[in-house]
Amino acid sequence: MQLSVKHLLGIRDLSRQDIQIILDTATQFKEVLQRPIKKVPSLRDVTIVNLFFENSTRTRISFELAEKRLSADSINFTASASSVSKGETLLDTVNNILSMKVDMVVMRHSASGAPHFLAKHIPAAIVNAGDGINEHPTQGLLDAFSMREKLGRLEGLKVAIIGDIMHSRVAMSNIYLLKKMGAEVMVAGPPTLIPKYIQEAFDIRVEYNLKKALQWCDVANVLRIQLERQNQVLFSSLREYSLAYGINKQILDSLDKKIVIMHPGPINRGVELDSDAADSAQSIILNQVENGVAVRMAVLYLLSGGREMTN
Ligand code: CP
C-alpha cells in the first residue's frame, strides 16, 4: 500500500488509510531501531535537505536521525546562518538548494502555509515540520503512535488537549488525526486561548475547568503557552495560568483513575506542567520523543515511494 499524497503538508490532507499505513510502517521501523545495527538502506541515494527557519530541538534532531537510519544523504540549513538574513526569498533559497539535486525538503517555518507554497513551486517532496499556527503533522502522528502503543487503540479513546489551543499547530494536527481515527476529543483551557469556532467546526468538546477535563479523559496532551505567537495579552500572568491550568501530581492523584500525560515539548516546567507530573510514571513524554524517529522514518520512506512493508 502507498500513500495517497505526494507531500506531507498536514494531517488534514491524509485519509484514515494513509494514517494507518504510516503508523503501521512506523511500528516496523521501531522494531528496526531496537536492533544492534539500526541502519537500513531504504533511502540510499536519496538526498534530503532540512530547512529550519524557526528554532527546534526535538523535530530537527529526530528528522536528522531518521534520515541517517534510512541511509539518506542529508543537508542541514539554518535560516539565521544563511543568505536569508541578506534578504533572499524563500523560493530563491529553495530553488538554489534544489539545483544541487535534492529529492526531499523537510521544512519548519513561522509562516502558516509556507510548505504549501513551496509544494506548488518545486518538484521535490515536501514534509511540513511545523508551519506557524497551522499544522505539525509528524508531531500529530508520533502522538497518535505513542497513544496507540501505550493504550492499544485510538478508536474510542478520550483525549483532552489542554492549554494554548489558539496558537498551537500541534493541537490542530492532533484534532484532525484523532477525529479521523475515531477518538473522542476535548480541548481545555482558558476561554481566551480556545478559538470560538472550534467546537462546531471539528465536532469536539470544549471544557474550561481543568479538573473536569482530566476526570473525563484517558490521555491529557498538555501544550505550552506559545508566548512568541501572542501579540496581545490573553491571560493575566503565567502564575495565574499555572494556578488554574497547571497540572501537578496532586491533581493527578485526586482523579479516580490513572490518565496518561503527554507533552510535545519544550515543557515550561512549573507553568503548564510541574516536574512531579512530567516525570511521573503516568508520563510518556520521552516515549513520544523516541517514537518520533520511527514515525519520521516511516514518513520519509513512504513519501520517497516506499510501500507499506508486510511481515
Ligand atoms: N515538539 C516540537 O516540535 O519540539 P521542537 O520545537 O523542539 O522541535
Side-chain angles (χ1 to χ4, degrees), residues 52 54-61 108 129-130 136 139 142 169-170 224 263-266 296:
F52 278 72
E54 209 185 46
N55 293 343
S56 169
T57 299
R58 281 146 290 271
T59 311
R60 183 175 182 146
I61 292 174
R108 169 167 288 193
H136 190 349
Q139 183 70 46
L142 75 89
R169 54 197 179 202
V170 174
R224 180 175 68 87
H263 194 302
R296 289 176 174 120

Side-chain angles (χ1 to χ4, degrees), residues 263-299:
H263 194 302
I267 303 171
N268 280 333
R269 287 177 185 259
V271 180
E272 69 272 10
L273 203 52
D274 278 6
S275 291
D276 59 6
D279 305 330
S280 71
Q282 286 167 254
S283 163
I284 59 164
I285 293 170
L286 291 179
N287 304 79
Q288 289 173 259
V289 179
E290 179 189 352
N291 290 335
V293 179
V295 166
R296 289 176 174 120
M297 286 173 80
V299 166

